[in-house]
């Protein structure tokens, strides 16, 4: 009788160990997923060319649009340090960074259009023209202006 209870407890311990162990595995796995992978636009997006690239009037138009709509997260100067940025995960992209500036216009346009949580997709909010203007504007934020 006593022996039976002891083996029973041993089994419970083993079961508990496995529950904790696998539980921890599942948690860390889903945690890694929640962290999200790098955001990559589909390759075809690179084929889209900005009809307003380098257009000064477009850039001027987009400035206010950018400050009012993107600034809260990306910061007025695009550094990813807007007032709403602190509470966000992932953090808003730094539009002045080499990694953003090295992406094609098409890739940035695709991301702006589709969005990814917590950033909304702007396909239905801004017209194609406005979105291309914003991409032209983002180019002016580069730390070192991109050479043509
Ligand atoms: C609610 C906050 C928020 C607002 C508003 C917002 N964004 Fe974002 N944006 C983000 C976050 C967060 C990311 C990074 C998402 C990721 O990496 O998964 C991002 C990423 C981007 C990217 C992709 C950068 C890269 O790494 O390739 C572009 C382009 C972009 N935003 C443009 C804009 C523009 C233009 C506006 C304004 C029209 C805007 N965003 C408004 C939060 C925001």
């Amino acid at each position: 009788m006593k022996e039976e209870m002891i083996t029973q407890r041993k089994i419970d311990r083993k079961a508990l160990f496995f529950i904790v162990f696998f539980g921890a595995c599942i948690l860390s796995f889903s945690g890694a997923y929640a962290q999200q992978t790098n955001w990559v636009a589909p390759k075809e997006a690179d084929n889209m060319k900005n009809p307003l690239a380098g257009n000064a009037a477009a850039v001027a138009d987009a400035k206010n649009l950018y400050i009012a709509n993107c600034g809260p997260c990306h910061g007025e100067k695009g550094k990813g340090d807007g007032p709403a940025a602190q509470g966000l995960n992932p953090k808003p992209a730094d539009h002045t960074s080499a990694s953003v500036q090295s992406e094609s216009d098409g890739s940035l346009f695709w991301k702006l259009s589709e969005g990814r949580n917590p950033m909304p997709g702007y396909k239905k909010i801004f017209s194609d023209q406005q979105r291309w203007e914003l991409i032209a504007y983002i180019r002016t934020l580069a730390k070192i202006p991109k050479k043509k």
Side-chain angles (χ1 to χ4, degrees):
M1 178 62 197
K2 211 178 166 197
E3 202 145 303
E4 226 171 59
M5 272 175 67
I6 290 170
T7 45
Q8 182 63 44
R9 271 176 69 181
K10 266 193 185 159
I11 291 168
D12 284 350
R13 273 226 179 135
K14 258 194 175 164
L16 188 68
F17 172 77
F18 278 109
I19 288 166
V20 170
F21 179 75
F22 285 112
C25 284
I26 289 165
L27 276 181
S28 62
F29 207 69
S30 58
Y33 260 105
Q35 272 298 301
Q36 293 195 325
T37 45
N38 260 348
W39 193 13
V40 182
K43 269 228 148 25
E44 308 85 74
D46 290 337
N47 298 329
M48 294 188 284
K49 299 286 174 251
N50 189 349
L52 300 170
N55 181 318
V59 168
D61 258 2
K63 187 171 183 181
N64 288 334
L65 209 58
Y66 186 91
I67 291 175
N69 296 279
C70 322
C73 291
H74 290 283
E76 289 198 1
K77 302 234 160 84
K79 292 201 174 125
D81 57 357
Q86 265 188 349
L88 297 179
N89 182 25
K91 291 277 173 257
D94 176 352
H95 290 156
T96 73
S97 68
S99 76
V100 168
Q101 291 294 333
S102 68
E103 282 182 57
S104 68
D105 283 345
S107 166
L108 296 176
F109 181 81
W110 184 89
K111 290 182 181 181
L112 173 60
S113 305
E114 300 301 321
R116 180 163 99 154
N117 191 39
M119 175 167 135
Y122 284 93
K123 200 158 40 183
K124 299 200 172 124
I125 300 174
F126 294 137
S127 66
D128 280 21
Q129 160 141 3
Q130 284 173 314
R131 279 176 285 136
W132 282 124
E133 283 182 353
L134 283 163
I135 301 306
Y137 181 73
I138 286 176
R139 291 300 179 203
T140 69
L141 300 172
K143 271 179 216 144
I144 305 151
K146 212 179 148 197
K147 292 208 180 82
K148 288 273 157 71

